[in-house]
Amino acid sequence: MTSSRPYLIRALYEWIVDNGLTPYLLIDATQEGLDAPLEYADKGKLVLNVAPRAVRALNLGNSAIDFNARFGGAARDVHLPVQAVLAVYARENGQGMLFSEEPDGDEPPSGPGGSNAGAGNGRKKPHLRVIK
């Protein structure tokens, strides 16, 4: 299966904007293929305001997020691989979603029985956790 991350990013972005809040992305600044203002990164993480009033030509694609924004008064094109997105949240109340730093699997699990079939061969069972 394809990664669910780009779909969740788009849904959360739309939900945050529809509620009149400011969507922020938390980015892993150490990821390859990143074209972003790394001078604003702190401890390998970068927080970007992607509100409609803050960016131009926002494209929330399946493999990358692209937009143009001003940093220190200078316009800059930004390219973020979807796997570099660690969280999408609203600035005002912190509501959103935190993603794991591990890459999402792009291939279906092997063997019959789906994702739990590999649990006995050294793989971890899938689990859910509550994020406040």
Side-chain angles (χ1 to χ4, degrees), residues 47-91:
V47 177
L48 297 171
N49 175 353
V50 289
R53 66 187 173 278
V55 300
R56 291 188 144 180
L58 177 65
N59 179 21
L60 300 170
N62 285 342
S63 61
I65 297 171
D66 297 294
F67 60 89
N68 181 279
R70 298 185 83 74
F71 298 94
R76 180 162 179 183
D77 290 325
V78 177
H79 176 83
L80 310 167
V82 168
Q83 293 304 320
V85 178
L86 299 176
V88 180
Y89 64 96
R91 180 192 70 188

Side-chain angles (χ1 to χ4, degrees), residues 8-9 11-13 15-16 21-25 86-99 129-132:
L8 293 170
I9 292 169
L12 288 163
Y13 175 86
W15 174 67
I16 291 167
L21 302 175
T22 308
Y24 273 23
L25 297 177
L86 299 176
V88 180
Y89 64 96
R91 180 192 70 188
E92 293 82 357
N93 61 14
Q95 294 269 327
M97 181 177 282
L98 179 67
F99 300 103
R129 61 183 170 159
V130 177
I131 300 175
K132 294 182 181 183

